[in-house]
């Protein structure tokens, strides 16, 4: 999972942008990016026209690659021993023609750095789940995987790490939904389960963040009973987010969204992952009018965070761009819990991702073609 | 430097192929290749139709990248403190449009892993030596380098690491020779000096290896006086190598080289580096006749080493080739000496390179397009 935040300029504080619970990417490359910047800081920055002396910058390495791998390893261990007599494995569920492979590979390499325990990893396109996996007969519901390159081998899948399964194109037909259901009912530890995936939607973020009113009772206190200090601290990281339904908050939001002036401070978000799906500012009224009103509730309206102005240079596709930039910090985490026992078995911070984009660009997704990889200087 | 050897099949022993004292390449990539094979041995070999169990193979990592870098670092230290007030640096002298950059970069990365001492590295094309370096006035003859990207900075060059300067195309005109002379007379530690470079020629290898006859007095004993056991052991690694001059050995060699039958066990070598320049077996007589007799002395005639047959699969340019292969083992070394004091300051083994080629290919150079990178299984 990954929590992304922006520093707000109006009141200098951290504001939550989103919370990703599926396919949080670039953890593999973020470690490499921070190493790249450390290397440049040692070798090139001292030679700039305005030199930065070696050792002057505090450039923490992003430990995202080893720490995300450590989370997968921990899940592999928590799964327990194989009960089918087959060796255990982890499955990386990827997209067809996967472009993010160079990010994902770093997690695979990290997983092979330890042999305690040996952890075989296989990459499987989401579209081939039903072809190469089956569920064992009996109450164990073990997920069995036969590598297509050697179908005489069978592995018991301990961990499913999903780098797919979050967008409409991953579910082109009924069999894709059956494949997801098939995984879900298996005994493998899913990263994530459907429940955890849904918990990361913008709708849930909105439900947690919508300002409390008489018709909108407090939600956070249900999850943090009696912890008013924590609730207050947590709430302060939220920006205003509204539903577009017919509640009091929703009706207020509809008014804002359709107003050509008020809409300028907002972004309209559907329940999607991966960037490129949001509608910004003055584009909102026209867009909303083009959507049947019955579908409005599938969007949320979020007040834009205004980060402080920063100037920097972005290198992207071999071209340098200089100007105002916005930095979005993501903090990875790995969490393993027992749904039935309601106990958390593992809950760890897992490194960071910094994405920087030009301040004229609304979107921030790196793979979607907007932001670029960065690392922090403290 | 690098000593390359083949295992001979007739008598099972190691035979020296050549000794490179300039631009010995692939030390950076060899470490990566051995890591690649270790990774595949952990993840893929257990899944082969004839599986190789994890941990069964002994795959020593080639320490060539860190150890070659350690040699450069040691030279940087041996140079002593800067005497011009400028920071010291190392220069990597490369070729224009350098294809081997992805090998060389690993040495640069290794050099930045330590800050004891800080060791700035610059890449400079051989053709730009005179443009960007100068020799300080006075007896110190310090080599000064001004990085073209920031000519207000000056560095005192402690170490010159040559990945160029070994082939005719590096010396297209008189100024290239002047550039080499300029480096040579500077105080920088050269890897290599002209003397060390010449010591690596095939001619020197021949002089050391030509079988002793009354008209060809022993040479090795001049360098290893009184060490007859070592001389005998060393000599046993030599194959028969002959001059093509008018000495007794040379006249014998001319007869072999021009004989359509006898020539089949030989290779004719000019004084060149990098592969692609040798003449093999039955091509020798015709080639030799095409060369003016006055130039024959610039070649040596070497008995071919016949390695034991090995079968393997080579992946090259994305294509698999299966069949008989020949493996050539190179052992890197780093050596620093004081020419005047005649003392050796540092002399270390520096990892290995294994090159594998199809047994139908005569040449072994990887960059020249014949062999491929490999690593050893003990």
């Amino acid at each position: 999972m990954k929590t992304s935040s922006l520093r707000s300029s109006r009141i200098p504080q951290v504001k939550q942008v989103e919370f990703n619970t599926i396919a949080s990417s670039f953890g593999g490359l973020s470690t490499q990016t921070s190493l790249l910047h450390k290397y440049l800081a040692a070798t090139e920055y001292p030679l700039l026209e305005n030199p930065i002396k070696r050792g002057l910058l505090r450039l923490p390495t992003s430990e995202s690659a080893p720490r995300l791998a450590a989370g997968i390893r921990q899940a592999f261990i928590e799964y327990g021993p194989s009960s089918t007599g087959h060796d255990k494995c982890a499955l990386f569920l990827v997209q067809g023609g996967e472009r993010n492979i160079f990010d994902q590979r770093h997690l695979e390499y990290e997983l092979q750095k330890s042999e305690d325990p040996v952890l075989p990893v296989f990459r499987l396109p989401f579209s081939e789940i039903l072809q190469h996996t089956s569920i064992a007969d009996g109450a164990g519901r073990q997920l069995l995987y036969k590598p297509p390159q050697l179908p005489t081998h069978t592995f018991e899948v301990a961990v499913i790490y999903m780098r797919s399964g979050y967008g409409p194109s991953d579910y082109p037909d009924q069999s894709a939904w059956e494949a997801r259901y098939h995984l879900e009912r298996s005994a493998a530890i899913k990263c994530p389960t459907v429940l955890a995936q849904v918990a990361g939607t913008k709708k849930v973020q909105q439900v947690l963040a919508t300002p409390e009113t008489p018709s909108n009772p407090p939600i956070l206190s249900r999850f943090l009973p009696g912890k008013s200090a924590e609730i207050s601290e947590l709430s302060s990281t939220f920006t205003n987010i509204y539903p577009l339904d017919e509640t009091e908050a929703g009706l207020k939001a509809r008014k804002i969204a359709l107003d050509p002036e008020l809409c300028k401070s907002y972004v309209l978000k559907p329940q999607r992952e991966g960037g490129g799906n949001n509608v910004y500012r003055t584009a909102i009224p026209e867009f909303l009018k083009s959507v049947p009103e019955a579908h409005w509730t599938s969007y949320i309206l979020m007040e834009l965070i205004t980060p402080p102005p920063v100037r920097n240079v972005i290198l992207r596709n071999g071209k340098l761009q200089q100007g105002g930039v916005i930095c979005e910090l993501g903090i990875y985490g790995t969490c393993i819990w027992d749904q039935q026992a309601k106990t958390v078995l593992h809950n760890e911070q897992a490194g960071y991702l910094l994405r920087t984009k030009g301040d004229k660009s609304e979107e921030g997704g790196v793979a979607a073609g907007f932001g670029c990889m960065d690392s922090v200087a403290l």
Side-chain angles (χ1 to χ4, degrees), chain A residues 2-211:
Chain A
K2 190 179 96 244
T3 301
S4 293
S5 310
L6 283 167
R7 195 160 67 99
S8 167
S9 66
R10 245 179 307 173
I11 309 139
Q13 61 180 345
V14 167
K15 287 289 186 186
Q16 184 185 48
V17 176
E18 61 179 357
F19 182 58
N20 301 110
T21 54
I22 184 167
S24 302
S25 62
F26 289 104
L29 291 176
S30 179
T31 299
Q32 298 296 314
T33 305
S34 65
L35 292 175
L36 168 69
H37 285 150
K38 282 168 98 84
Y39 181 79
L40 292 175
T43 58
E44 298 295 330
Y45 297 177
L47 301 175
L48 294 172
E49 261 185 65
N50 299 312
I52 302 168
K53 273 185 76 173
R54 191 167 171 136
L56 203 71
L57 293 174
R58 273 183 62 205
L59 301 175
T61 303
S62 171
E63 299 289 344
S64 48
R67 290 192 184 201
L68 289 173
I72 293 171
R73 175 171 297 280
Q74 193 56 40
F76 189 84
I77 293 166
E78 295 287 357
Y79 179 85
S82 164
S83 51
T84 57
H86 301 298
D87 285 343
K88 291 195 299 175
C89 78
L91 274 190
F92 279 31
L93 282 181
V94 299
Q95 296 184 315
E98 180 64 76
R99 285 196 312 161
N100 272 346
I101 184 169
F102 303 107
D103 174 44
Q104 296 154 2
R105 281 289 192 203
H106 287 287
L107 302 185
E108 295 183 53
Y109 301 152
E110 286 295 333
L111 285 169
Q112 298 311 321
K113 282 187 182 169
S114 162
E115 303 212 323
D116 181 26
V118 168
L119 203 165
V121 172
F122 296 96
R123 303 172 60 82
L124 180 66
F126 194 83
S127 58
E128 298 177 16
I129 293 169
L130 293 176
Q131 205 176 328
H132 300 297
T133 70
S134 59
I135 292 185
D137 295 332
R141 293 170 294 107
Q142 299 92 340
L143 186 66
L144 303 177
Y145 171 66
K146 284 178 190 290
Q149 67 272 33
L150 198 63
T152 53
H153 277 55
T154 301
F155 288 84
E156 181 174 333
V157 181
V159 182
I160 297 165
Y161 173 57
M162 296 181 68
R163 293 296 293 261
S164 58
Y166 53 82
S169 64
D170 291 322
Y171 298 90
D173 52 29
Q174 188 55 31
S175 81
W177 291 103
E178 277 160 25
R180 183 67 191 272
Y181 177 69
H182 167 83
L183 299 181
E184 204 64 21
R185 76 181 199 88
S186 81
I189 294 182
K190 275 79 68 179
C191 173
T193 61
V194 163
L195 284 180
Q197 179 176 348
V198 169
T201 57
K202 308 293 180 282
K203 184 65 192 173
V204 170
Q205 187 185 4
Q206 171 258 303
V207 167
L208 294 170
T210 296

Side-chain angles (χ1 to χ4, degrees), chain A residues 297-318:
Chain A
T297 52
S298 70
Y299 293 86
I300 59 101
L301 189 72
M302 182 170 175
E303 197 176 351
L304 284 163
I305 303 160
T306 314
V310 178
R311 287 185 64 81
N312 212 332
V313 177
I314 289 178
L315 174 64
R316 191 177 161 80
N317 292 336

